[in-house]
């Protein structure tokens, strides 16, 4: 759907995530060079914003031994932004 002036509309996708482990969990967001540390029992929502021309509209999850990588939907060309929220508050990354 094009907006006035030929601009494309953005789509927001949300991935709810809860750390059910008794240990903290490091979550990397790709393609952003950021990570967040989730405390045991902590619930967050990962938001991805992309344009309507994006072909792949799914999150991809890749668990590793020490961390979890979350790949944002789309390709770099259709990618706009991503962020993490907890209880309605946008979190600042723990590192990059």
């Amino acid at each position: 759907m094009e907006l006035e002036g030929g601009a494309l509309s953005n789509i927001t996708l949300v991935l709810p995530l809860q750390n059910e482990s008794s240990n903290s969990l490091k979550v990397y967001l790709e393609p952003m060079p950021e990570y967040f540390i989730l405390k045991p029992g902590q619930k967050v929502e990962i938001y991805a914003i992309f344009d309507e021309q994006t072909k792949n509209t799914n999150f991809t999850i890749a668990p590793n031994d020490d961390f979890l990588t979350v790949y944002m939907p789309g390709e770099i060309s259709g990618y706009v932004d991503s962020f993490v929220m907890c209880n309605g508050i946008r979190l600042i990354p723990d590192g990059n």
Side-chain angles (χ1 to χ4, degrees):
M1 167 179 170
E2 283 197 25
L3 302 176
E4 212 171 300
L8 297 173
S9 60
N10 287 334
I11 299 167
T12 301
L13 194 62
V14 180
L15 174 67
L17 183 64
Q18 180 170 347
N19 181 6
E20 292 287 341
S21 172
S22 60
N23 299 316
S24 292
L25 174 66
K26 187 181 284 189
V27 179
Y28 284 95
L29 298 186
E30 289 290 344
M32 304 299 287
E34 301 174 338
Y35 69 85
F36 297 82
I37 297 175
L38 303 186
K39 297 175 183 149
Q42 186 175 13
K43 297 177 187 180
V44 298
E45 299 86 33
I46 300 173
Y47 287 77
I49 302 172
F50 48 91
D51 68 31
E52 64 184 26
Q53 291 183 337
T54 300
K55 304 268 187 281
N56 173 18
T57 58
N58 296 307
F59 287 97
T60 302
I61 308 297
N64 294 288
D65 290 338
D66 298 327
F67 58 91
L68 179 73
T69 303
V70 178
Y71 295 93
M72 297 299 113
E75 305 77 26
I76 297 299
S77 60
Y79 175 78
V80 177
D81 192 17
S82 65
F83 55 92
V84 177
M85 294 189 72
C86 182
N87 299 323
I89 299 171
R90 188 170 176 159
L91 300 179
I92 296 171
D94 292 302
N96 53 8

